Amino acid sequence: MEISVRDARKQYGDFVALDDVSLDIPSGSLTALLGPSGSGKSTLLRSIAGLEELDGGAVVIAGDDVTSVSPQKRDIGFVFQHYAAFKHLTVRKNVAFGLEIRKRPKAEIDDRVDQLLEIVGLTGFQTRFPAQLSGGQRQRMALARALAVDPRVLLLDEPFGALDAKVRADLRTWLRRLHDDVHVTTVLVTHDQQEALDVADRIAVMNAGRIEQVGTPRDLYDRPANDFVMSFLGDVSRVNGQMVRPHDIRVGRTPELARAQEEGTAESAGVLRASVERVVHLGFEVRVELRNAATGELFFAQITRGDNEALGLTSGETVYVRATRVPTIAGSAGTV
């Protein structure tokens, strides 16, 4: 079901949480609302759900203006970061709860719950209570419960925020597969750039109550609308006054090695001299922390472990670097 938000405005005292926000969310998509704390992403999500009353603007779901419709009548599934499961009910009863209060036939409830428990990987956990589940299992139960009533829209507010990094990564992969199976229009709020890039079809980057840019993960990463999007959606370094991705910085022991043979002279290719401050091993990648010899500015490059072994970099030595690619930002130049 398509969602359209038009000129949404929400203010708390002097703080403007939503500043005339408009956003179209295609039917069947998984859209991430990405931004720092206070950017308005959770307020926008809660406004779509009807949990926040807008000061102005409209929310339209599947062509129906639901701005004044209560949350219970919007046909929406909602999962919070800290999911309030019924502690005294089993996993099966938790998932079945929404269907039971709607007085659906028992056979239909049983079939639907069995189907969902299989989809979320909790088939063998029907008789357990929430306290007997891991954090990741509880969130999967929460998603099954939200999906049980066959909602038109699924809204997820930082659903994995309280989990450790490994569990989060596993659940991101699982959520993407789940979405591909059920195809329900899904909106995910997150401040985690990797989560948004990994899971979403489309990302809306928010800042100070406004939407800075909307697009596919690749569009936003390669063609950011402004410096904020560039810096928020991944690591950045500044080389020769330009913002670049650290993995787009070539490092060499001589000016000639910092460029490819076909790129002309070192001067024309934008090679600069730097000193190595620190070499940090990050598994299959290595972060080389550098200081611009001309300006004293600190920046870092991300290189492969193989390149680092070939270079044999150590702190204090002089190297030569250049940006092999500069993303286009508001009309700036591209590849150099």
Side-chain angles (χ1 to χ4, degrees):
M1 299 294 179
E2 183 179 5
I3 305 170
S4 292
V5 179
R6 289 286 171 265
D7 303 317
R9 185 170 185 81
K10 182 66 180 180
Q11 190 163 338
Y12 303 98
D14 294 332
F15 176 70
V16 179
L18 297 177
D19 191 2
D20 294 324
V21 169
S22 293
L23 176 66
D24 291 322
I25 298 170
S27 178
S29 69
L30 198 167
T31 298
L33 303 181
L34 175 68
S37 297
S39 61
K41 55 189 186 296
S42 288
T43 301
L44 179 56
L45 191 81
R46 292 173 63 84
S47 298
I48 294 171
L51 299 174
E52 295 284 354
E53 184 178 347
L54 291 173
D55 298 328
V59 176
V60 178
I61 299 178
D64 299 324
D65 189 332
V66 298
T67 311
S68 301
V69 175
S70 67
Q72 295 82 0
K73 295 181 180 179
R74 294 195 187 192
D75 198 10
I76 283 174
F78 204 113
V79 178
F80 299 91
Q81 177 177 338
H82 300 287
Y83 188 66
F86 294 113
K87 298 178 181 179
H88 64 290
L89 297 180
T90 63
V91 168
R92 186 176 192 86
K93 282 290 189 180
N94 264 283
V95 175
F97 179 80
L99 295 169
E100 290 177 345
I101 64 172
R102 286 168 173 79
K103 301 188 184 302
R104 306 292 276 273
K106 185 178 185 305
E108 178 185 332
I109 294 175
D110 289 342
D111 288 345
R112 180 65 172 161
V113 172
D114 286 341
Q115 176 191 31
L116 285 168
L117 289 177
E118 182 177 357
I119 288 173
V120 302
L122 291 177
T123 299
F125 297 82
Q126 302 99 317
T127 60
R128 294 196 185 185
F129 291 90
Q132 298 172 305
L133 302 177
S134 68
Q137 289 169 338
R138 282 196 292 271
Q139 284 303 79
R140 282 191 277 154
M141 180 189 73
L143 283 159
R145 178 173 161 179
L147 290 168
V149 296
D150 198 20
R152 295 191 296 177
V153 174
L154 180 63
L155 305 179
L156 311 175
D157 193 359
E158 302 267 14
F160 310 139
L163 305 174
D164 64 55
K166 178 63 169 64
V167 174
R168 286 183 70 130
D170 291 343
L171 283 178
R172 287 202 300 262
T173 302
W174 172 82
L175 177 61
R176 184 64 239 188
R177 289 200 304 265
L178 174 67
H179 180 265
D180 291 341
D181 287 340
V182 300
H183 298 294
V184 63
T185 304
T186 302
V187 185
L188 166 72
V189 160
T190 182
H191 65 272
D192 186 325
Q193 300 93 329
Q194 187 59 47
E195 189 164 281
L197 291 167
D198 193 10
V199 170
D201 304 316
R202 298 165 76 253
I203 300 173
V205 180
M206 298 191 67
N207 181 36
R210 292 178 175 269
I211 292 179
E212 298 283 352
Q213 187 177 3
V214 181
T216 66
R218 183 172 182 178
D219 285 342
L220 270 62
Y221 192 82
D222 290 342
R223 292 178 289 277
N226 52 43
D227 286 357
F228 176 83
V229 176
M230 171 82 178
S231 61
F232 196 79
L233 207 70
D235 293 327
V236 296
S237 283
R238 192 171 291 275
V239 178
N240 286 339
Q242 294 176 303
M243 296 177 70
V244 299
R245 299 295 184 194
H247 55 72
D248 288 328
I249 297 176
R250 179 177 289 144
V251 181
R253 287 197 168 277
T254 68
E256 289 71 31
L257 290 176
R259 61 182 180 86
Q261 288 184 350
E262 68 275 9
E263 291 173 337
T265 66
E267 291 78 10
S268 67
V271 175
L272 62 84
R273 187 163 58 93
S275 60
V276 177
E277 295 281 312
R278 186 167 175 248
V279 179
V280 183
H281 295 267
L282 303 170
F284 65 92
E285 287 188 322
V286 175
R287 184 176 72 229
V288 184
E289 298 177 1
L290 301 154
R291 185 181 298 276
N292 188 321
T295 66
E297 184 177 29
L298 288 169
F299 64 100
F300 71 95
Q302 204 93 359
I303 63 176
T304 67
R305 186 168 59 182
D307 285 345
N308 181 64
E309 290 173 352
L311 288 166
L313 298 176
T314 58
S315 299
E317 63 183 324
T318 296
V319 293
Y320 295 86
V321 303
R322 72 170 290 258
T324 59
R325 183 182 181 281
V326 180
T328 300
I329 302 177
S332 64
T335 302
V336 296

